[in-house]
Short mmCIF file of all heavy atoms in Angstrom, two decimals:
data_model
loop_
_atom_site.label_atom_id
_atom_site.label_comp_id
_atom_site.label_asym_id
_atom_site.label_seq_id
_atom_site.Cartn_x
_atom_site.Cartn_y
_atom_site.Cartn_z
N THR A 186 10.85 -8.99 13.23
CA THR A 186 10.17 -9.27 11.97
C THR A 186 10.29 -8.04 11.08
O THR A 186 10.08 -6.92 11.54
CB THR A 186 8.69 -9.60 12.20
OG1 THR A 186 8.59 -10.70 13.11
CG2 THR A 186 8.00 -9.97 10.90
N HIS A 187 10.63 -8.25 9.83
CA HIS A 187 10.90 -7.13 8.93
C HIS A 187 10.04 -7.24 7.68
O HIS A 187 9.69 -8.33 7.24
CB HIS A 187 12.37 -7.09 8.52
CG HIS A 187 13.33 -7.19 9.68
ND1 HIS A 187 13.73 -6.09 10.41
CD2 HIS A 187 13.95 -8.26 10.24
CE1 HIS A 187 14.56 -6.47 11.35
NE2 HIS A 187 14.71 -7.79 11.27
N ARG A 188 9.72 -6.09 7.11
CA ARG A 188 8.99 -6.06 5.85
C ARG A 188 9.38 -4.81 5.08
O ARG A 188 9.43 -3.72 5.65
CB ARG A 188 7.49 -6.07 6.10
CG ARG A 188 6.60 -6.04 4.85
CD ARG A 188 6.47 -7.40 4.22
NE ARG A 188 5.86 -8.36 5.14
CZ ARG A 188 4.55 -8.47 5.34
NH1 ARG A 188 3.71 -7.66 4.71
NH2 ARG A 188 4.07 -9.38 6.16
N SER A 189 9.66 -4.96 3.81
CA SER A 189 9.96 -3.83 2.94
C SER A 189 8.89 -3.75 1.86
O SER A 189 8.44 -4.77 1.34
CB SER A 189 11.34 -3.99 2.29
OG SER A 189 11.55 -3.02 1.29
N ALA A 190 8.47 -2.53 1.54
CA ALA A 190 7.47 -2.36 0.50
C ALA A 190 7.97 -2.86 -0.84
O ALA A 190 7.20 -3.26 -1.70
CB ALA A 190 7.06 -0.89 0.39
N ALA A 191 9.28 -2.83 -1.02
CA ALA A 191 9.86 -3.23 -2.31
C ALA A 191 10.23 -4.70 -2.37
O ALA A 191 10.67 -5.19 -3.40
CB ALA A 191 11.11 -2.39 -2.60
N SER A 192 10.05 -5.44 -1.26
CA SER A 192 10.43 -6.85 -1.25
C SER A 192 9.53 -7.62 -0.30
O SER A 192 9.36 -7.21 0.85
CB SER A 192 11.89 -7.03 -0.83
OG SER A 192 12.20 -8.40 -0.65
N PRO A 193 8.95 -8.72 -0.75
CA PRO A 193 8.10 -9.52 0.13
C PRO A 193 8.86 -10.57 0.93
O PRO A 193 8.26 -11.38 1.61
CB PRO A 193 7.16 -10.20 -0.87
CG PRO A 193 8.01 -10.42 -2.08
CD PRO A 193 8.96 -9.24 -2.13
N ASN A 194 10.19 -10.57 0.86
CA ASN A 194 10.96 -11.67 1.43
C ASN A 194 11.26 -11.53 2.91
O ASN A 194 11.74 -12.47 3.53
CB ASN A 194 12.29 -11.81 0.67
CG ASN A 194 12.07 -12.14 -0.80
OD1 ASN A 194 11.12 -12.83 -1.14
ND2 ASN A 194 12.94 -11.65 -1.66
N GLY A 195 11.00 -10.37 3.51
CA GLY A 195 11.26 -10.20 4.93
C GLY A 195 12.73 -10.12 5.27
O GLY A 195 13.14 -10.56 6.35
N ASP A 196 13.55 -9.59 4.36
CA ASP A 196 14.98 -9.46 4.63
C ASP A 196 15.21 -8.51 5.80
O ASP A 196 14.50 -7.52 5.98
CB ASP A 196 15.71 -8.94 3.39
CG ASP A 196 15.58 -9.90 2.20
OD1 ASP A 196 15.47 -11.11 2.45
OD2 ASP A 196 15.57 -9.42 1.06
N ALA A 197 16.25 -8.79 6.59
CA ALA A 197 16.54 -7.98 7.77
C ALA A 197 16.88 -6.55 7.37
O ALA A 197 17.48 -6.29 6.33
CB ALA A 197 17.70 -8.60 8.54
N LEU A 198 16.49 -5.61 8.24
CA LEU A 198 16.74 -4.19 8.02
C LEU A 198 17.71 -3.69 9.08
O LEU A 198 17.75 -4.21 10.20
CB LEU A 198 15.44 -3.40 8.10
CG LEU A 198 14.28 -3.87 7.22
CD1 LEU A 198 13.04 -3.03 7.50
CD2 LEU A 198 14.66 -3.79 5.75
N PRO A 199 18.50 -2.66 8.77
CA PRO A 199 19.39 -2.10 9.80
C PRO A 199 18.59 -1.40 10.89
O PRO A 199 17.74 -0.55 10.60
CB PRO A 199 20.25 -1.10 9.00
CG PRO A 199 19.43 -0.76 7.79
CD PRO A 199 18.65 -2.00 7.46
N ILE A 200 18.82 -1.77 12.13
CA ILE A 200 18.06 -1.24 13.26
C ILE A 200 19.02 -0.65 14.29
O ILE A 200 20.04 -1.27 14.64
CB ILE A 200 17.22 -2.35 13.94
CG1 ILE A 200 16.24 -2.97 12.95
CG2 ILE A 200 16.49 -1.80 15.16
CD1 ILE A 200 15.18 -2.03 12.46
N ASP A 201 18.71 0.54 14.77
CA ASP A 201 19.47 1.15 15.87
C ASP A 201 18.81 0.69 17.17
O ASP A 201 17.83 1.27 17.63
CB ASP A 201 19.44 2.67 15.76
CG ASP A 201 20.38 3.34 16.76
OD1 ASP A 201 20.64 2.73 17.81
OD2 ASP A 201 20.82 4.47 16.50
N GLU A 202 19.35 -0.38 17.77
CA GLU A 202 18.72 -0.95 18.96
C GLU A 202 18.84 -0.02 20.17
O GLU A 202 18.05 -0.13 21.11
CB GLU A 202 19.33 -2.32 19.26
CG GLU A 202 18.99 -3.37 18.21
CD GLU A 202 19.29 -4.78 18.69
OE1 GLU A 202 19.67 -4.94 19.87
OE2 GLU A 202 19.13 -5.72 17.89
N THR A 203 19.81 0.88 20.15
CA THR A 203 19.93 1.84 21.25
C THR A 203 18.70 2.74 21.30
O THR A 203 18.10 2.97 22.36
CB THR A 203 21.19 2.70 21.10
OG1 THR A 203 22.34 1.84 21.07
CG2 THR A 203 21.32 3.69 22.24
N VAL A 204 18.31 3.25 20.13
CA VAL A 204 17.11 4.09 20.04
C VAL A 204 15.87 3.28 20.38
O VAL A 204 14.98 3.73 21.12
CB VAL A 204 16.98 4.71 18.64
CG1 VAL A 204 15.65 5.45 18.49
CG2 VAL A 204 18.14 5.65 18.36
N ALA A 205 15.79 2.05 19.85
CA ALA A 205 14.63 1.21 20.10
C ALA A 205 14.47 0.90 21.59
O ALA A 205 13.36 0.94 22.13
CB ALA A 205 14.74 -0.08 19.29
N SER A 206 15.58 0.61 22.27
CA SER A 206 15.53 0.32 23.71
C SER A 206 15.09 1.56 24.49
O SER A 206 14.31 1.47 25.45
CB SER A 206 16.89 -0.16 24.20
OG SER A 206 17.25 -1.38 23.59
N LYS A 207 15.58 2.72 24.09
CA LYS A 207 15.21 3.97 24.75
C LYS A 207 13.71 4.22 24.62
O LYS A 207 13.03 4.62 25.59
CB LYS A 207 16.00 5.13 24.14
CG LYS A 207 15.63 6.50 24.69
CD LYS A 207 16.42 7.60 23.99
CE LYS A 207 15.98 8.98 24.45
NZ LYS A 207 16.71 10.05 23.72
N VAL A 208 13.17 3.98 23.43
CA VAL A 208 11.74 4.18 23.20
C VAL A 208 10.93 3.19 24.04
O VAL A 208 9.91 3.55 24.63
CB VAL A 208 11.42 4.01 21.70
CG1 VAL A 208 9.92 3.90 21.47
CG2 VAL A 208 11.99 5.19 20.91
N LEU A 209 11.39 1.95 24.10
CA LEU A 209 10.66 0.93 24.85
C LEU A 209 10.65 1.26 26.34
O LEU A 209 9.61 1.14 27.01
CB LEU A 209 11.30 -0.43 24.62
CG LEU A 209 10.54 -1.64 25.19
CD1 LEU A 209 9.16 -1.74 24.58
CD2 LEU A 209 11.33 -2.92 24.93
N ARG A 210 11.79 1.70 26.88
CA ARG A 210 11.85 2.02 28.30
C ARG A 210 11.03 3.26 28.64
O ARG A 210 10.35 3.32 29.65
CB ARG A 210 13.31 2.23 28.73
CG ARG A 210 14.15 0.97 28.78
CD ARG A 210 15.44 1.23 29.54
NE ARG A 210 16.20 2.32 28.96
CZ ARG A 210 17.12 2.17 27.99
NH1 ARG A 210 17.37 0.96 27.52
NH2 ARG A 210 17.77 3.21 27.52
N GLY A 211 11.11 4.27 27.77
CA GLY A 211 10.42 5.53 28.05
C GLY A 211 8.95 5.53 27.67
O GLY A 211 8.18 6.36 28.16
N GLY A 212 8.56 4.63 26.77
CA GLY A 212 7.17 4.58 26.35
C GLY A 212 6.75 5.76 25.49
O GLY A 212 5.56 6.06 25.36
N VAL A 213 7.74 6.45 24.89
CA VAL A 213 7.46 7.63 24.07
C VAL A 213 8.09 7.44 22.70
O VAL A 213 9.24 7.00 22.59
CB VAL A 213 8.02 8.92 24.73
CG1 VAL A 213 7.74 10.13 23.85
CG2 VAL A 213 7.41 9.11 26.11
N SER A 214 7.36 7.78 21.66
CA SER A 214 7.86 7.62 20.29
C SER A 214 9.03 8.55 20.03
O SER A 214 9.14 9.63 20.61
CB SER A 214 6.74 7.90 19.28
OG SER A 214 5.66 7.02 19.46
N ASP A 215 9.92 8.11 19.14
CA ASP A 215 11.08 8.90 18.74
C ASP A 215 10.95 9.21 17.25
O ASP A 215 10.83 8.31 16.43
CB ASP A 215 12.37 8.11 19.01
CG ASP A 215 13.62 8.93 18.68
OD1 ASP A 215 14.05 8.88 17.51
OD2 ASP A 215 14.14 9.61 19.57
N TYR A 216 10.95 10.50 16.92
CA TYR A 216 10.79 10.94 15.54
C TYR A 216 12.11 11.49 15.03
O TYR A 216 12.63 12.48 15.55
CB TYR A 216 9.71 12.02 15.44
CG TYR A 216 8.34 11.56 15.89
CD1 TYR A 216 7.96 11.65 17.22
CD2 TYR A 216 7.44 11.02 14.98
CE1 TYR A 216 6.71 11.22 17.64
CE2 TYR A 216 6.19 10.59 15.38
CZ TYR A 216 5.83 10.69 16.71
OH TYR A 216 4.60 10.26 17.12
N GLN A 217 12.67 10.84 14.01
CA GLN A 217 13.88 11.32 13.38
C GLN A 217 13.55 11.73 11.95
O GLN A 217 12.40 11.71 11.53
CB GLN A 217 14.96 10.24 13.44
CG GLN A 217 15.31 9.83 14.87
CD GLN A 217 16.44 8.84 14.94
OE1 GLN A 217 17.25 8.73 14.03
NE2 GLN A 217 16.52 8.09 16.05
#
Side-chain angles (χ1 to χ4, degrees):
T186 303
H187 310 275
R188 180 80 61 82
S189 171
S192 172
N194 298 327
D196 298 330
L198 307 176
I200 301 294
D201 188 334
E202 293 195 5
T203 301
V204 173
S206 296
K207 176 183 175 182
V208 167
L209 188 61
R210 289 194 303 270
V213 179
S214 300
D215 183 272
Y216 299 88
Q217 301 184 22

